[in-house]
Amino acid sequence: MKNGTQSMDVITFGESMGLLYPEGTRGIGQGGSLAQSFGGAESNLAIGLARLGCFSGWFGQLGSDPLGTGILKTLRGEGVDVSRARQTDAAPTGLMLRQNVRGQSSVYYYRKGSAASQMTPDLVDSEYIANARILHFTGITAALSSSCLDTIRHVISVCKEHGVLISFDPNLRLKLWNIEEARPVLLELAGACDYFLPGYDECKLLFETEDEQVIINRLRQLPGMSIIKSFNGNNVMVHQDVTYSLPFERVEQVVDTVGAGDGFCAGFLAGIAKGWTPEEALSLGGLTGSLVIQAPGDWEALPTWDEVQQRRGHSAHIER
């Protein structure tokens, strides 16, 4: 505990949105009912960390509407600290629609002018961040608005001042900005973090090459550690002259790949927060990601620590 404030393992921030999706096999606009939930890479990660036994926090700006209130209630119920999250009457909570038709998933955003896109640096509680071990953010927030990018840069400066480790997942969303807009910003942020968590396809776009060795060499030039998701059937860690590769966990059935990346990041950061070596944390990330894809839902499928321990063989499952 620093400055009389509860220390946090990981704090994350960004936009969380309401989510609507068709039930059954119909697509959006074809009639039928819509189920509701919510989603957001950062809030998904915060839930994943809480379920893995970490003290996690999420902050952002939501509308003073039923969607925003429901998101906060659910996060709080999952054990995520939302004491620094805000609601505003000035703008609504963002919304996304998702469909999966004949195996092809599509997402439609309604987030322009959302409450989250109007985040500014003055909304950040610097003392709250200073009491965290790790601060995590994604490139999605940077894409929302110039004020959101200013907020990220301010948060980075707070972390540097107080020795808080910085984790960054580029989470490139080409429906929010094009690659020419995104590339310089994401590379800037990658150079400021301690843990860079891109996917292999994102690396190819950011570094403008499909040459694997060129990508590895570019990552070696970054000051922090890079953890590449989905690199030819492996998760790969690159730091200076060290490269460590770990094959994917084998699964019997893939149900839903949405949220796998957030699950991986939650597992990796949970390992770091628990004091594990980066290699051990990489293994935990791979395991949590593999468990997420075996059940439906963005955050609903994120495993608990007990489930992870059972999979690792450290505890037994008692059916009855």
Side-chain angles (χ1 to χ4, degrees):
M1 183 178 292
K2 311 175 197 174
N3 304 321
T5 302
Q6 174 66 55
S7 296
M8 307 286 290
D9 291 317
V10 183
I11 291 173
T12 185
F13 71 102
E15 180 166 40
S16 193
M17 298 171 289
L19 168 64
L20 299 176
Y21 56 95
E23 295 184 300
T25 59
R26 290 182 177 182
I28 296 168
Q30 296 179 358
S33 59
L34 293 173
Q36 65 171 311
S37 181
F38 71 93
E42 301 85 3
S43 52
N44 293 349
L45 178 117
I47 291 172
L49 285 160
R51 289 185 178 181
L52 293 174
C54 295
F55 193 10
S56 68
W58 174 88
F59 70 89
Q61 186 160 261
L62 299 160
S64 296
D65 48 42
L67 286 177
T69 300
I71 289 168
L72 289 179
K73 284 183 177 179
T74 303
L75 288 172
R76 195 178 294 114
E78 287 286 340
V80 176
D81 180 76
V82 291
S83 61
R84 301 317 191 268
R86 301 190 182 201
Q87 289 182 273
T88 178
D89 292 319
T93 302
L95 177 68
M96 60 178 167
L97 305 182
R98 177 183 295 135
Q99 66 178 11
N100 193 315
V101 179
R102 289 182 287 275
Q104 182 172 343
S105 181
S106 300
V107 178
Y108 304 90
Y109 295 124
Y110 300 85
R111 66 202 305 179
K112 187 175 182 179
S114 69
S117 72
Q118 298 180 21
M119 281 192 294
T120 54
D122 62 286
L123 297 179
V124 174
D125 185 336
S126 297
E127 184 178 348
Y128 182 65
I129 292 172
N131 280 278
R133 180 173 182 186
I134 302 169
L135 186 286
H136 176 84
F137 64 94
T138 80
I140 295 173
T141 307
L144 297 180
S145 67
S146 58
S147 68
C148 282
L149 180 55
D150 289 341
T151 302
I152 288 175
R153 288 170 173 152
H154 174 66
V155 167
I156 288 173
S157 68
V158 172
C159 291
K160 299 288 188 184
E161 180 182 353
H162 295 280
V164 178
L165 296 172
I166 301 171
S167 167
F168 171 52
D169 183 343
N171 239 318
L172 181 58
R173 296 289 186 268
L174 294 177
K175 284 192 174 183
L176 298 179
W177 53 357
N178 62 50
I179 187 59
E180 286 74 23
E181 294 173 308
R183 185 180 290 115
V185 174
L186 298 181
L187 291 177
E188 171 202 336
L189 300 177
C193 65
D194 297 282
Y195 299 106
F196 180 43
L197 298 157
Y200 179 42
D201 288 339
E202 289 172 324
C203 287
K204 290 189 286 187
L205 289 169
L206 290 176
F207 298 129
E208 300 181 79
T209 181
E210 296 195 5
D211 188 309
E212 297 176 7
Q213 192 55 52
V214 171
I215 291 172
I216 295 295
N217 290 339
R218 289 291 299 275
L219 293 172
R220 282 176 174 160
Q221 294 171 19
L222 295 175
M225 178 180 294
S226 297
I227 295 87
I228 316 172
K229 306 184 288 284
S230 303
F231 190 96
N232 295 333
N234 298 274
N235 295 314
V236 178
M237 183 175 66
V238 179
H239 188 219
Q240 298 176 356
D241 293 333
V242 176
T243 302
Y244 178 79
S245 180
L246 195 65
F248 287 169
E249 292 276 342
R250 292 187 175 275
V251 299
E252 294 182 3
Q253 183 180 20
V254 176
V255 175
D256 186 356
T257 59
V258 173
D262 298 332
F264 173 89
C265 292
F268 176 79
L269 292 179
I272 296 297
K274 292 174 184 292
W276 294 12
T277 66
E279 292 83 1
E280 291 169 335
L282 185 70
S283 176
L284 181 58
L287 177 56
T288 53
S290 74
L291 291 172
V292 168
I293 65 176
Q294 296 181 66
D298 275 34
W299 55 267
E300 293 88 347
L302 290 161
T304 64
W305 184 242
D306 285 345
E307 289 171 323
V308 168
Q309 289 292 77
Q310 288 174 16
R311 182 63 182 266
R312 295 175 70 219
H314 292 181
S315 64
H317 170 64
I318 301 174
E319 182 178 355
R320 298 182 183 181

